[in-house]
PDB file of all heavy atoms in Angstrom:
ATOM      1  N   PRO A   1       0.827  -1.213   0.000  1.00 96.00           N
ATOM      2  CA  PRO A   1       0.000   0.000   0.000  1.00 96.00           C
ATOM      3  C   PRO A   1       0.863   1.266   0.000  1.00 96.00           C
ATOM      4  O   PRO A   1       1.975   1.276   0.534  1.00 96.00           O
ATOM      5  CB  PRO A   1      -0.787  -0.097   1.313  1.00 96.00           C
ATOM      6  CG  PRO A   1      -0.664  -1.500   1.772  1.00 96.00           C
ATOM      7  CD  PRO A   1       0.607  -2.029   1.188  1.00 96.00           C
ATOM      8  N   ALA A   2       0.344   2.329  -0.562  1.00 96.00           N
ATOM      9  CA  ALA A   2       1.027   3.625  -0.518  1.00 96.00           C
ATOM     10  C   ALA A   2       1.266   4.000   0.938  1.00 96.00           C
ATOM     11  O   ALA A   2       0.421   3.750   1.798  1.00 96.00           O
ATOM     12  CB  ALA A   2       0.172   4.691  -1.207  1.00 96.00           C
ATOM     13  N   GLY A   3       2.411   4.549   1.221  1.00 97.00           N
ATOM     14  CA  GLY A   3       2.734   4.968   2.582  1.00 97.00           C
ATOM     15  C   GLY A   3       3.411   3.886   3.410  1.00 97.00           C
ATOM     16  O   GLY A   3       3.745   4.126   4.574  1.00 97.00           O
ATOM     17  N   THR A   4       3.632   2.703   2.842  1.00 98.00           N
ATOM     18  CA  THR A   4       4.323   1.649   3.587  1.00 98.00           C
ATOM     19  C   THR A   4       5.751   2.086   3.867  1.00 98.00           C
ATOM     20  O   THR A   4       6.477   2.489   2.958  1.00 98.00           O
ATOM     21  CB  THR A   4       4.327   0.324   2.794  1.00 98.00           C
ATOM     22  OG1 THR A   4       2.978  -0.103   2.594  1.00 98.00           O
ATOM     23  CG2 THR A   4       5.109  -0.759   3.523  1.00 98.00           C
ATOM     24  N   LYS A   5       6.151   2.018   5.146  1.00 98.00           N
ATOM     25  CA  LYS A   5       7.503   2.406   5.539  1.00 98.00           C
ATOM     26  C   LYS A   5       8.340   1.214   5.997  1.00 98.00           C
ATOM     27  O   LYS A   5       9.561   1.309   6.068  1.00 98.00           O
ATOM     28  CB  LYS A   5       7.444   3.457   6.639  1.00 98.00           C
ATOM     29  CG  LYS A   5       6.840   4.771   6.153  1.00 98.00           C
ATOM     30  CD  LYS A   5       6.874   5.807   7.241  1.00 98.00           C
ATOM     31  CE  LYS A   5       6.309   7.120   6.727  1.00 98.00           C
ATOM     32  NZ  LYS A   5       6.279   8.138   7.791  1.00 98.00           N
ATOM     33  N   SER A   6       7.685   0.113   6.344  1.00 97.00           N
ATOM     34  CA  SER A   6       8.382  -1.128   6.697  1.00 97.00           C
ATOM     35  C   SER A   6       7.353  -2.251   6.710  1.00 97.00           C
ATOM     36  O   SER A   6       6.155  -2.014   6.559  1.00 97.00           O
ATOM     37  CB  SER A   6       9.087  -1.013   8.061  1.00 97.00           C
ATOM     38  OG  SER A   6       8.143  -0.959   9.113  1.00 97.00           O
ATOM     39  N   PHE A   7       7.864  -3.465   6.888  1.00 97.00           N
ATOM     40  CA  PHE A   7       6.999  -4.644   6.967  1.00 97.00           C
ATOM     41  C   PHE A   7       7.337  -5.448   8.212  1.00 97.00           C
ATOM     42  O   PHE A   7       8.429  -5.342   8.765  1.00 97.00           O
ATOM     43  CB  PHE A   7       7.227  -5.568   5.761  1.00 97.00           C
ATOM     44  CG  PHE A   7       6.859  -4.994   4.434  1.00 97.00           C
ATOM     45  CD1 PHE A   7       7.828  -4.451   3.608  1.00 97.00           C
ATOM     46  CD2 PHE A   7       5.549  -5.011   3.989  1.00 97.00           C
ATOM     47  CE1 PHE A   7       7.504  -3.933   2.368  1.00 97.00           C
ATOM     48  CE2 PHE A   7       5.208  -4.495   2.751  1.00 97.00           C
ATOM     49  CZ  PHE A   7       6.185  -3.957   1.932  1.00 97.00           C
ATOM     50  N   ALA A   8       6.389  -6.279   8.620  1.00 95.00           N
ATOM     51  CA  ALA A   8       6.612  -7.285   9.656  1.00 95.00           C
ATOM     52  C   ALA A   8       5.972  -8.580   9.160  1.00 95.00           C
ATOM     53  O   ALA A   8       4.931  -8.548   8.500  1.00 95.00           O
ATOM     54  CB  ALA A   8       5.995  -6.861  10.982  1.00 95.00           C
ATOM     55  N   LEU A   9       6.591  -9.693   9.462  1.00 96.00           N
ATOM     56  CA  LEU A   9       6.115 -11.008   9.038  1.00 96.00           C
ATOM     57  C   LEU A   9       5.960 -11.908  10.255  1.00 96.00           C
ATOM     58  O   LEU A   9       6.852 -11.953  11.112  1.00 96.00           O
ATOM     59  CB  LEU A   9       7.124 -11.647   8.077  1.00 96.00           C
ATOM     60  CG  LEU A   9       6.860 -13.105   7.701  1.00 96.00           C
ATOM     61  CD1 LEU A   9       5.697 -13.200   6.721  1.00 96.00           C
ATOM     62  CD2 LEU A   9       8.118 -13.747   7.127  1.00 96.00           C
ATOM     63  N   ILE A  10       4.838 -12.606  10.320  1.00 94.00           N
ATOM     64  CA  ILE A  10       4.629 -13.615  11.357  1.00 94.00           C
ATOM     65  C   ILE A  10       4.247 -14.917  10.667  1.00 94.00           C
ATOM     66  O   ILE A  10       3.386 -14.933   9.785  1.00 94.00           O
ATOM     67  CB  ILE A  10       3.525 -13.210  12.347  1.00 94.00           C
ATOM     68  CG1 ILE A  10       3.907 -11.937  13.092  1.00 94.00           C
ATOM     69  CG2 ILE A  10       3.251 -14.347  13.341  1.00 94.00           C
ATOM     70  CD1 ILE A  10       2.834 -11.409  14.030  1.00 94.00           C
ATOM     71  N   VAL A  11       4.896 -16.018  11.064  1.00 95.00           N
ATOM     72  CA  VAL A  11       4.536 -17.359  10.591  1.00 95.00           C
ATOM     73  C   VAL A  11       4.032 -18.109  11.813  1.00 95.00           C
ATOM     74  O   VAL A  11       4.775 -18.333  12.775  1.00 95.00           O
ATOM     75  CB  VAL A  11       5.726 -18.086   9.948  1.00 95.00           C
ATOM     76  CG1 VAL A  11       5.309 -19.478   9.485  1.00 95.00           C
ATOM     77  CG2 VAL A  11       6.285 -17.269   8.793  1.00 95.00           C
ATOM     78  N   HIS A  12       2.759 -18.463  11.769  1.00 93.00           N
ATOM     79  CA  HIS A  12       2.076 -19.011  12.935  1.00 93.00           C
ATOM     80  C   HIS A  12       1.351 -20.310  12.577  1.00 93.00           C
ATOM     81  O   HIS A  12       0.786 -20.429  11.498  1.00 93.00           O
ATOM     82  CB  HIS A  12       1.058 -17.978  13.456  1.00 93.00           C
ATOM     83  CG  HIS A  12       0.413 -18.355  14.729  1.00 93.00           C
ATOM     84  ND1 HIS A  12       1.050 -18.300  15.939  1.00 93.00           N
ATOM     85  CD2 HIS A  12      -0.836 -18.818  14.979  1.00 93.00           C
ATOM     86  CE1 HIS A  12       0.220 -18.699  16.888  1.00 93.00           C
ATOM     87  NE2 HIS A  12      -0.922 -19.020  16.324  1.00 93.00           N
ATOM     88  N   ASP A  13       1.380 -21.266  13.484  1.00 92.00           N
ATOM     89  CA  ASP A  13       0.652 -22.532  13.356  1.00 92.00           C
ATOM     90  C   ASP A  13      -0.505 -22.501  14.350  1.00 92.00           C
ATOM     91  O   ASP A  13      -0.301 -22.726  15.538  1.00 92.00           O
ATOM     92  CB  ASP A  13       1.585 -23.702  13.648  1.00 92.00           C
ATOM     93  CG  ASP A  13       0.881 -25.054  13.711  1.00 92.00           C
ATOM     94  OD1 ASP A  13      -0.357 -25.120  13.497  1.00 92.00           O
ATOM     95  OD2 ASP A  13       1.573 -26.051  13.985  1.00 92.00           O
ATOM     96  N   PRO A  14      -1.719 -22.186  13.881  1.00 92.00           N
ATOM     97  CA  PRO A  14      -2.849 -22.120  14.809  1.00 92.00           C
ATOM     98  C   PRO A  14      -3.320 -23.489  15.290  1.00 92.00           C
ATOM     99  O   PRO A  14      -4.110 -23.568  16.223  1.00 92.00           O
ATOM    100  CB  PRO A  14      -3.938 -21.432  13.979  1.00 92.00           C
ATOM    101  CG  PRO A  14      -3.618 -21.805  12.572  1.00 92.00           C
ATOM    102  CD  PRO A  14      -2.118 -21.863  12.507  1.00 92.00           C
ATOM    103  N   ASP A  15      -2.813 -24.557  14.663  1.00 87.00           N
ATOM    104  CA  ASP A  15      -3.252 -25.910  15.008  1.00 87.00           C
ATOM    105  C   ASP A  15      -2.358 -26.605  16.029  1.00 87.00           C
ATOM    106  O   ASP A  15      -2.648 -27.724  16.440  1.00 87.00           O
ATOM    107  CB  ASP A  15      -3.323 -26.761  13.733  1.00 87.00           C
ATOM    108  CG  ASP A  15      -4.255 -26.147  12.705  1.00 87.00           C
ATOM    109  OD1 ASP A  15      -5.403 -25.825  13.064  1.00 87.00           O
ATOM    110  OD2 ASP A  15      -3.824 -25.960  11.551  1.00 87.00           O
ATOM    111  N   ALA A  16      -1.266 -25.977  16.423  1.00 84.00           N
ATOM    112  CA  ALA A  16      -0.352 -26.592  17.387  1.00 84.00           C
ATOM    113  C   ALA A  16      -1.062 -26.776  18.727  1.00 84.00           C
ATOM    114  O   ALA A  16      -1.719 -25.852  19.219  1.00 84.00           O
ATOM    115  CB  ALA A  16       0.881 -25.722  17.557  1.00 84.00           C
ATOM    116  N   PRO A  17      -0.931 -27.947  19.308  1.00 80.00           N
ATOM    117  CA  PRO A  17      -1.622 -28.234  20.574  1.00 80.00           C
ATOM    118  C   PRO A  17      -0.868 -27.677  21.780  1.00 80.00           C
ATOM    119  O   PRO A  17      -0.344 -28.404  22.608  1.00 80.00           O
ATOM    120  CB  PRO A  17      -1.668 -29.762  20.592  1.00 80.00           C
ATOM    121  CG  PRO A  17      -0.432 -30.174  19.852  1.00 80.00           C
ATOM    122  CD  PRO A  17      -0.235 -29.131  18.788  1.00 80.00           C
ATOM    123  N   THR A  18      -0.805 -26.346  21.865  1.00 77.00           N
ATOM    124  CA  THR A  18      -0.027 -25.709  22.930  1.00 77.00           C
ATOM    125  C   THR A  18      -0.862 -25.276  24.133  1.00 77.00           C
ATOM    126  O   THR A  18      -0.312 -25.016  25.189  1.00 77.00           O
ATOM    127  CB  THR A  18       0.683 -24.457  22.388  1.00 77.00           C
ATOM    128  OG1 THR A  18      -0.319 -23.537  21.947  1.00 77.00           O
ATOM    129  CG2 THR A  18       1.624 -24.799  21.249  1.00 77.00           C
ATOM    130  N   GLY A  19      -2.156 -25.115  23.923  1.00 69.00           N
ATOM    131  CA  GLY A  19      -3.003 -24.602  24.995  1.00 69.00           C
ATOM    132  C   GLY A  19      -2.992 -23.091  25.092  1.00 69.00           C
ATOM    133  O   GLY A  19      -3.679 -22.518  25.929  1.00 69.00           O
ATOM    134  N   VAL A  20      -2.199 -22.428  24.247  1.00 71.00           N
ATOM    135  CA  VAL A  20      -2.122 -20.963  24.278  1.00 71.00           C
ATOM    136  C   VAL A  20      -2.354 -20.343  22.903  1.00 71.00           C
ATOM    137  O   VAL A  20      -1.837 -19.274  22.606  1.00 71.00           O
ATOM    138  CB  VAL A  20      -0.774 -20.470  24.862  1.00 71.00           C
ATOM    139  CG1 VAL A  20      -0.653 -20.827  26.328  1.00 71.00           C
ATOM    140  CG2 VAL A  20       0.397 -21.009  24.058  1.00 71.00           C
ATOM    141  N   GLY A  21      -3.112 -21.004  22.061  1.00 76.00           N
ATOM    142  CA  GLY A  21      -3.476 -20.409  20.779  1.00 76.00           C
ATOM    143  C   GLY A  21      -2.503 -20.647  19.649  1.00 76.00           C
ATOM    144  O   GLY A  21      -2.408 -19.831  18.743  1.00 76.00           O
ATOM    145  N   GLY A  22      -1.779 -21.726  19.688  1.00 86.00           N
ATOM    146  CA  GLY A  22      -0.902 -22.053  18.579  1.00 86.00           C
ATOM    147  C   GLY A  22       0.561 -21.820  18.880  1.00 86.00           C
ATOM    148  O   GLY A  22       0.966 -21.693  20.034  1.00 86.00           O
ATOM    149  N   PHE A  23       1.351 -21.760  17.803  1.00 89.00           N
ATOM    150  CA  PHE A  23       2.807 -21.728  17.911  1.00 89.00           C
ATOM    151  C   PHE A  23       3.348 -20.784  16.847  1.00 89.00           C
ATOM    152  O   PHE A  23       3.008 -20.907  15.671  1.00 89.00           O
ATOM    153  CB  PHE A  23       3.335 -23.149  17.670  1.00 89.00           C
ATOM    154  CG  PHE A  23       4.755 -23.387  18.078  1.00 89.00           C
ATOM    155  CD1 PHE A  23       5.048 -23.839  19.352  1.00 89.00           C
ATOM    156  CD2 PHE A  23       5.790 -23.193  17.186  1.00 89.00           C
ATOM    157  CE1 PHE A  23       6.364 -24.088  19.736  1.00 89.00           C
ATOM    158  CE2 PHE A  23       7.098 -23.432  17.552  1.00 89.00           C
ATOM    159  CZ  PHE A  23       7.392 -23.886  18.828  1.00 89.00           C
ATOM    160  N   THR A  24       4.189 -19.833  17.247  1.00 91.00           N
ATOM    161  CA  THR A  24       4.789 -18.904  16.305  1.00 91.00           C
ATOM    162  C   THR A  24       6.155 -19.435  15.896  1.00 91.00           C
ATOM    163  O   THR A  24       7.058 -19.566  16.723  1.00 91.00           O
ATOM    164  CB  THR A  24       4.909 -17.496  16.906  1.00 91.00           C
ATOM    165  OG1 THR A  24       3.595 -17.036  17.223  1.00 91.00           O
ATOM    166  CG2 THR A  24       5.546 -16.533  15.921  1.00 91.00           C
ATOM    167  N   HIS A  25       6.299 -19.744  14.602  1.00 91.00           N
ATOM    168  CA  HIS A  25       7.535 -20.315  14.070  1.00 91.00           C
ATOM    169  C   HIS A  25       8.561 -19.263  13.696  1.00 91.00           C
ATOM    170  O   HIS A  25       9.759 -19.541  13.679  1.00 91.00           O
ATOM    171  CB  HIS A  25       7.226 -21.183  12.845  1.00 91.00           C
ATOM    172  CG  HIS A  25       6.582 -22.472  13.216  1.00 91.00           C
ATOM    173  ND1 HIS A  25       7.301 -23.619  13.408  1.00 91.00           N
ATOM    174  CD2 HIS A  25       5.291 -22.788  13.455  1.00 91.00           C
ATOM    175  CE1 HIS A  25       6.481 -24.597  13.744  1.00 91.00           C
ATOM    176  NE2 HIS A  25       5.252 -24.114  13.790  1.00 91.00           N
ATOM    177  N   TRP A  26       8.069 -18.049  13.381  1.00 94.00           N
ATOM    178  CA  TRP A  26       9.011 -17.023  12.934  1.00 94.00           C
ATOM    179  C   TRP A  26       8.329 -15.677  12.997  1.00 94.00           C
ATOM    180  O   TRP A  26       7.152 -15.549  12.651  1.00 94.00           O
ATOM    181  CB  TRP A  26       9.404 -17.308  11.499  1.00 94.00           C
ATOM    182  CG  TRP A  26      10.671 -16.732  10.971  1.00 94.00           C
ATOM    183  CD1 TRP A  26      11.781 -16.334  11.668  1.00 94.00           C
ATOM    184  CD2 TRP A  26      10.977 -16.538   9.596  1.00 94.00           C
ATOM    185  NE1 TRP A  26      12.752 -15.905  10.804  1.00 94.00           N
ATOM    186  CE2 TRP A  26      12.282 -16.029   9.508  1.00 94.00           C
ATOM    187  CE3 TRP A  26      10.270 -16.739   8.417  1.00 94.00           C
ATOM    188  CZ2 TRP A  26      12.897 -15.718   8.311  1.00 94.00           C
ATOM    189  CZ3 TRP A  26      10.878 -16.444   7.216  1.00 94.00           C
ATOM    190  CH2 TRP A  26      12.182 -15.943   7.166  1.00 94.00           C
ATOM    191  N   MET A  27       9.067 -14.670  13.430  1.00 94.00           N
ATOM    192  CA  MET A  27       8.576 -13.297  13.379  1.00 94.00           C
ATOM    193  C   MET A  27       9.755 -12.412  13.026  1.00 94.00           C
ATOM    194  O   MET A  27      10.794 -12.456  13.680  1.00 94.00           O
ATOM    195  CB  MET A  27       7.963 -12.857  14.694  1.00 94.00           C
ATOM    196  CG  MET A  27       7.410 -11.459  14.606  1.00 94.00           C
ATOM    197  SD  MET A  27       6.371 -11.064  16.004  1.00 94.00           S
ATOM    198  CE  MET A  27       5.915  -9.421  15.543  1.00 94.00           C
TER     199      MET A  27
END
């Protein structure tokens, strides 16, 4: 989008049986 100054990336597994809403593999 116009005005983008940086990005952030999250890779998340919502199906991981963690009890806390999944597992973040990379940010």
